[in-house]
Amino acid sequence: MRFLLIEDNLGLASAVVERLVLDGHVVDHAADLQSARDFTATTEYDLVLLDIMLPDGDGRSFLDERRDARDETPVIVLTARSEVSDRVTLLDLGADDYLTKPFDFSELEARCRAVLRRRGGSPTNRKQIGNLTFDPQAATLRVGDRTTTLRARELRLLELFLGAPGQIMSKTRLVDRLFSYDEEVSENAIEVYVGRLRKHLDGSPVSIVTVRGLGYRLSVE
């Protein structure tokens, strides 16, 4: 998943980015609202983590702008304000959840999973298709009696395909979803990860099909 973190506390931002990257997510960091607007103008995100008090304005204005623009990207607000009225205002503006600072990173991770799960319309992160069971929280893929522990990017790539079965995904789009701006990577890397996933999926009703000249799509028998 690709996240946008909008946070001006560089120490906290660095710690959050490090934790989420360890989970296999791609995280872009904006230290102010203008940088956040620049990011969202060119990149699609799965989740936004939004601080309220920022150097060039109030994060609530950013949230209001995104919802006015019919942007349904989930937003978790990170706030030092614990008053009920503040939380009510944030939720009414369109926040999907909020977390009061200081917070535990494990709770942040759990809230991210919960928000993404709700947005996907599923009560659980686990997916089962025939003899295939995919558990992203445990980073495991089970096909029949064979269980594989997935590497971070293999896991996120499989999440992308399972989240959009039948949809063609270009190599460019997959690079955008799996790698941050700071990483120099060619589209050949996607071929490597797709090749690994195909081996892990062998024997299941799920396969990744090459659509010549366009990219890949997930096929379910």
Side-chain angles (χ1 to χ4, degrees), residues 30-77:
D32 53 52
L33 291 177
Q34 187 54 55
S35 298
R37 292 183 179 110
D38 292 341
F39 275 122
T40 54
T42 59
T43 305
E44 177 187 345
Y45 291 98
D46 299 293
L47 179 67
V48 174
L49 301 172
L50 174 64
D51 186 22
I52 292 300
M53 302 302 292
L54 293 159
D56 55 348
D58 192 319
R60 286 173 294 191
S61 64
F62 177 85
L63 175 59
D64 200 26
E65 290 170 12
R66 302 318 302 165
R67 295 310 186 227
D68 282 347
R70 306 297 183 187
D71 182 353
E72 297 182 354
T73 303
V75 175
I76 297 177
V77 174

Side-chain angles (χ1 to χ4, degrees), residues 5 10-29 49 105 108-109:
L5 170 64
L10 298 184
L12 175 59
S14 177
V16 170
V17 169
E18 181 178 354
R19 184 66 176 253
L20 294 174
V21 167
L22 283 175
D23 282 344
H25 299 293
V26 176
V27 186
D28 294 320
H29 171 228
L49 301 172
F105 288 133
L108 173 63
E109 292 169 321

Side-chain angles (χ1 to χ4, degrees), residues 138-162:
T140 58
L141 173 66
R142 183 173 181 177
V143 177
D145 296 327
R146 185 183 78 247
T147 300
T148 303
T149 299
L150 299 175
R151 298 178 182 180
R153 287 205 170 98
E154 293 172 350
L155 187 156
R156 299 308 169 196
L157 182 60
L158 184 55
E159 276 189 322
L160 287 171
F161 280 121
L162 287 174

Side-chain angles (χ1 to χ4, degrees), residues 104-124:
D104 185 89
F105 288 133
S106 60
E107 182 179 3
L108 173 63
E109 292 169 321
R111 287 182 181 270
C112 289
R113 290 193 298 269
V115 165
L116 291 170
R117 188 166 61 240
R118 291 198 301 268
R119 185 53 61 101
S122 173
T124 177

